[in-house]
Amino acid sequence: MESLEGIVLAQPFFAGLDPAIGALIAGCARNHRFDPDAYLFHEGEEASEFFLLREGDVALEIQAAGRPTLVLGTVHAGDIVGASWLIPPYRWNSDARARTPVRALGIDAACLRGKCEDDPRTGYAMMKRFAPLLVRRLQAAHLQLLDVYGRSDPA
Amino acid sequence: MSASGFPKAGVVLSLDGLQALIDALAARGYQVLGPVEHDGAIGTGHIAGIADLPAGRTDRQEAGSYRLDDRDDGALFGYAVGPGSWKRHLHRPIETLFKVRRVGDELSFEPPREPPARTALLGVRSCELAAIAIQDRVFQGGRYVNTEYAARRANIFLVAVNCGDPASTCFCSSLNTGPRARRGYDIALTELVDGRHEFLAEPGSDSGAALLAYLPNRPATEADWQAADAVAAHAAAQIHRRLPAEGLKEALQQHPEHPHWEEVAARCLACANCTNVCPTCFCTTIDDHSDLDGHGAARVRRWDSCFNGDFSYVHGGAVRTQTRSRYRQWLTHKLANWWDQFGTSGCVGCGRCIAWCPAGIDLTVEATSIVDSISAEAKAHGVA
Amino acid sequence: MTVNPYLPLPYRVIAVRQDTPDTATVELRPVGAAIPEPAPGQFTMLYMLGVGEAPISVSGAPIEGAPLAQTLRGVGAVSKAIIRLQPGEELGVRGPYGTIWPVAEADGHDVLFIAGGLGLAPLRPAVRHVLANRERYGRVSLLYGTRSPQDILYRDELAMWRRMLDVQIEVTVDRAHRSWHGAVGVVTELIPRAGVDPSRTIAMVCGPEIMMRFSVQALQAAGMPCEHIYVSMERSMKCGVGLCGRCQFGPDFVCKQGAVMRYDRIAHIFTVREI
């Protein structure tokens, strides 16, 4: 049986992480499995845990009455699902639905936030990994917003 | 040998001899175009004889200003260049490329069959010869040829006139394109009005030499050559504007975000006058002119300008929405990118864009300003 | 006598295939003389009587005897008129013009195609060429992004390529409803996931300029040198043969030195506003 710590350190997202910090994170982690169509979380719920996808695809969705469910984006093996756990009021702002069988590492948000508060070194290591992710997502959202394919006709 | 590569030879024509030149060209089937005064400026038009030339007239040009005035020596070519360059006779402002007809579902394309008229251009200045040489490269130097231009160009006879009285807007000497014609002509004239009224005529081609031999003339003496040199020297001494030679291409190409572009744009009206009077600007658009019955159309090419809003239009919008970008495109193309594209500057120093800019924008000043600010900055950083 | 480069040849419409609600591929055959065989990446000027002319890239196979296929989105007057043509009707064609996707230079390399929206059309002849000569190339991947699932071009062909076991085909859309089971997100997000080896890969990128800018950024972030990246530029164009002056992009004419350009050639002006 693989140790949680080993699984954490093997994730590309945590590449180069100090094993001691890896052990701290593993202390907040547990394994999850989701069947297709199962929800990792729903919009409005407390963001008490975020996920590191080890296998499978997850769709981030928005539901509105009278309209078909809109897919905001999809996340795949190696990606992080959820950032709302980082900032108050710690509530999810979309649904996350498994599209395939999903294996994920769930990290308890309150546990990790606590460890970051206690040890700034851990906090900084997490910040260094989450900030680029957030910026990348923001840039991707900008590009989606631009609707670049709308009216172009390359020669 | 003269600078043109043609053996240095010269004859002197009287006023009657000049008339005989025009008559001989007409007799050989040429329509003769020369400088004529119209609409308060000296342009180009059909001439039957020397009486049609703007005798005793000159021009006073400044940035944003062009005025005709009298001169007291009766010179026939005592002015610089007017707004209408010879470009319009080779690269027409509007031209039908072909016609198309549809019968049933079938399309047929018909190029115009009318052969171009043999045309003699009389009074072409040195800068204009340089401009024609540049358009030769643009239109017939590449893989695809502007066939309408090429057909006309092959039927042109060029009579150059060396400048005796350049305008204040002229700057050909800094581009090595004048004031004296060096090449590209069939005959070059220097008007001598030093107490007499004669023309030193130099052949620049076999057909030019043959034609001169046919005209009533007398051989040029050493004194005539000295008089012609004096005209050229006087002209050269009057030219004060100049384009920077060093570092211009690099300065423009490497500094598309230079703040000076914004500064020029604050004055530029994007009116496209500069590109219309420029003898080398060649950009065009093509329109469909439909027949009323809907079964036929003509494809018509028109001069266009990089200052026009829809010039850079791609689906959905123009690439260059701001005047800043359009001025930058014009100047960078003309003075820098042209070198990469055609192995020459796109500017011949005729000064038309300076005189005919309603805002008086002077490209020599703008180009110098950018070059100077960049070299000053380089010096400040110790890399000069 | 030099040939007048503006003069089209009459071509007859064989078929018009609706690819998406606003995009169609027209298949054309010459009525008499034909234009030379286009190479992958080249474009033609298509002329509609009474409407005008537009530069359109060739999207068909570089196969001897195949009809000339061109894919157009009905956005302008000319493209709208052309995709409404019926079989049997005629239009004018001249060309082919422009540069070629580096299918020869990529020989012996991995190939990464990145297409955005209609940008798959100019890339398709290159994809077909690479797949028809599969043994000459290493890993072959196609990353394709469109606005929505209904905007995906050439679905049948994509499905066929996907069935080939030695080609990686990834499709993503900017927006979708739950009925779409594929990826949602921008095409640049696929780049880090594609697992390309930047030192041995040639990337051919085609799509709207903004999409190409972001794609080039992501490729460079993945360590790909400028000389391995090719993009297809678009500028206003009236003649296609370097005479009208409109398509200038820095010192280059897009019709002559492009549309396909190696990125190091244009890197210094690629992100300059309104150049």
Side-chain angles (χ1 to χ4, degrees), chain B residues 45-362:
Chain B
H46 287 267
I47 56 167
I50 56 175
D52 294 329
L53 298 171
R57 297 289 272 166
T58 191
D59 50 20
R60 308 259 173 253
Q61 304 195 40
E62 291 296 340
S65 159
Y66 176 102
R67 296 285 181 274
L68 289 182
D69 203 350
D70 288 325
R71 51 188 297 144
D72 52 18
D73 59 3
L76 300 179
F77 300 99
Y79 37 83
V81 292
S85 81
W86 299 97
K87 176 172 83 173
R88 62 178 51 251
H89 301 294
L90 287 161
H91 174 44
R92 291 268 168 89
I94 185 159
E95 178 140 54
T96 298
L97 298 171
F98 59 86
K99 292 189 171 167
V100 52
R101 288 295 298 172
R102 179 170 54 210
V103 179
D105 279 337
E106 283 180 26
L107 291 186
S108 57
F109 298 95
E110 284 294 324
R113 298 207 176 278
E114 188 187 324
R118 299 179 84 189
T119 304
L121 308 181
L122 184 143
V124 182
R125 305 299 177 148
S126 183
C127 58
E128 305 260 21
L129 292 172
I132 292 170
I134 288 173
Q135 289 219 318
D136 286 350
R137 290 197 196 194
V138 172
F139 288 139
Q140 43 188 35
R143 178 169 170 202
Y144 297 101
V145 168
N146 176 338
T147 48
E148 297 77 21
Y149 177 91
R152 262 186 227 113
R153 181 71 178 90
N155 282 288
I156 289 286
F157 190 93
L158 288 167
V159 182
V161 168
N162 288 319
C163 280
D165 216 353
S168 85
T169 42
C170 292
F171 57 101
C172 58
S173 40
S174 63
L175 287 153
N176 246 338
T177 55
R180 192 170 199 172
R182 301 282 179 199
R183 63 188 72 81
Y185 53 82
D186 294 295
I187 295 173
L189 303 175
T190 303
E191 186 170 29
L192 305 172
V193 281
D194 46 349
R196 52 169 162 168
H197 203 164
E198 290 184 315
F199 300 88
L200 176 70
E202 300 167 69
S205 70
D206 289 331
S207 53
L211 191 62
L212 282 181
Y214 164 86
L215 301 176
N217 66 63
R218 65 171 175 82
T221 64
E222 194 50 40
D224 295 322
W225 284 109
Q226 283 172 7
D229 289 346
V231 169
H234 172 75
Q238 285 187 60
I239 295 171
H240 301 297
R241 276 187 163 84
R242 60 182 303 279
L243 260 187
E246 286 288 304
L248 178 57
K249 179 174 186 286
E250 297 70 25
L252 298 180
Q253 288 183 332
Q254 290 167 13
H255 298 87
E257 305 288 12
H258 196 282
H260 194 72
W261 297 121
E262 204 69 67
E263 204 277 310
V264 186
R267 290 173 280 137
C268 174
L269 308 173
C271 70
N273 261 16
C274 50
T275 59
N276 279 329
V277 296
C278 177
T280 67
C281 272
F282 62 88
C283 292
T284 51
T285 186
I286 307 175
D287 305 313
D288 233 49
H289 290 193
S290 297
D291 295 348
L292 285 176
D293 67 5
H295 295 297
R299 291 291 287 163
V300 178
R301 182 175 62 200
R302 250 185 322 113
W303 285 1
D304 202 347
S305 169
C306 51
F307 283 96
N308 289 338
D310 64 357
F311 182 80
S312 61
Y313 187 89
V314 274
H315 320 283
V319 171
R320 297 182 202 108
T321 61
Q322 303 167 23
T323 301
R324 164 191 175 277
S325 325
R326 297 182 200 163
Y327 191 86
R328 177 180 70 189
Q329 169 61 22
W330 180 65
L331 204 70
T332 307
H333 180 217
K334 181 107 349 212
L335 303 181
N337 294 342
W338 214 293
W339 283 102
D340 296 312
Q341 296 168 353
F342 305 110
T344 169
S345 170
C347 178
V348 297
C350 71
R352 286 187 176 89
C353 58
I354 302 172
W356 294 93
C357 175
I361 296 172
D362 180 342

Side-chain angles (χ1 to χ4, degrees), chain A residues 39 61 63 68-74 76 97 99 136 140 143-144 146-155, chain C residues 57 73 116-118 145-147 174-178 180-184 186-189 193 208 210-211 214 234:
Chain A
Y39 284 84
E61 298 177 343
Q63 317 229 16
T69 300
L70 196 69
V71 182
L72 295 173
T74 52
H76 309 270
R97 183 176 60 90
R99 292 175 134 197
R136 212 186 80 205
L143 205 50
Q144 267 172 297
L146 283 171
D147 194 16
V148 289
Y149 309 124
R151 54 181 189 186
S152 176
D153 187 10
Chain C
S57 35
R73 177 177 285 168
L118 200 54
T146 70
R147 186 180 195 223
D174 272 2
R175 54 203 68 196
H177 294 133
R178 195 192 268 191
W180 166 251
H181 289 271
V184 178
V186 291
V187 70
T188 50
E189 289 284 286
R193 287 220 302 274
I210 302 171
M211 167 265 172
F214 282 87
E234 184 192 17

